[in-house]
Amino acid sequence: GELVKRDKWCNKGYIFTHGYQATTVFRSSVSTDQLCIHECSIYDNGKFYPEPTFKIIAADRPEEPLIGKSATACWKAALDRISAEIERQRQHDKSIPPPPRTAIAGPEYFGLNIPDIVDKLEALDSEHACSLYWLGKSERENLISGLVQ
């Protein structure tokens, strides 16, 4: 991805970059008993400009992208879509269990916590322009070092 030096392109936990892409395998919303590839991306000049726009495209529903103001908003929409399909199926087959009540951490499902990805995103910000992120990283490191002692 490409570093964007504007508000909302980072927070205390993550750096978001224009052009970021990742692939995640998650439950299908078409065949809810199967897994499906989900393409996750972050881009500039989208629906939420000047803030980042997050998007998920499920391989089994490529014509219906999920677009949100955050990674979590996109994944919540994915969960809602899966739950709606399960409820639709239950109308015809009461033996199907209800959809699970699940919370999801969107940034993690976008792959933004994978160490190699974190390293690459941090390397894009050698000048520490994403000051909120670097503050959060310092706080996390201080907390961890306090726990280790």
Side-chain angles (χ1 to χ4, degrees), residues 8 40 68 107 123:
K8 306 290 186 188
C40 305

Side-chain angles (χ1 to χ4, degrees), residues 9 11 19 21 25 30-31 36 49 57 63 70 88 101 107 111 117-118 132 134 137 140:
W9 281 86
N11 60 31
Q21 293 183 323
V25 176
V30 175
S31 300
C36 171
Y49 179 84
I57 298 176
E63 70 289 346
S70 68
R88 187 193 69 73
R101 292 179 177 245
I117 292 175
V118 171
L132 187 59
W134 294 104
K137 180 174 180 160
R140 287 188 303 279

Side-chain angles (χ1 to χ4, degrees), residues 31-43:
S31 300
T32 58
D33 59 340
Q34 296 179 12
L35 297 176
C36 171
I37 294 172
H38 291 73
E39 297 287 336
C40 305
S41 61
I42 305 171
Y43 58 97

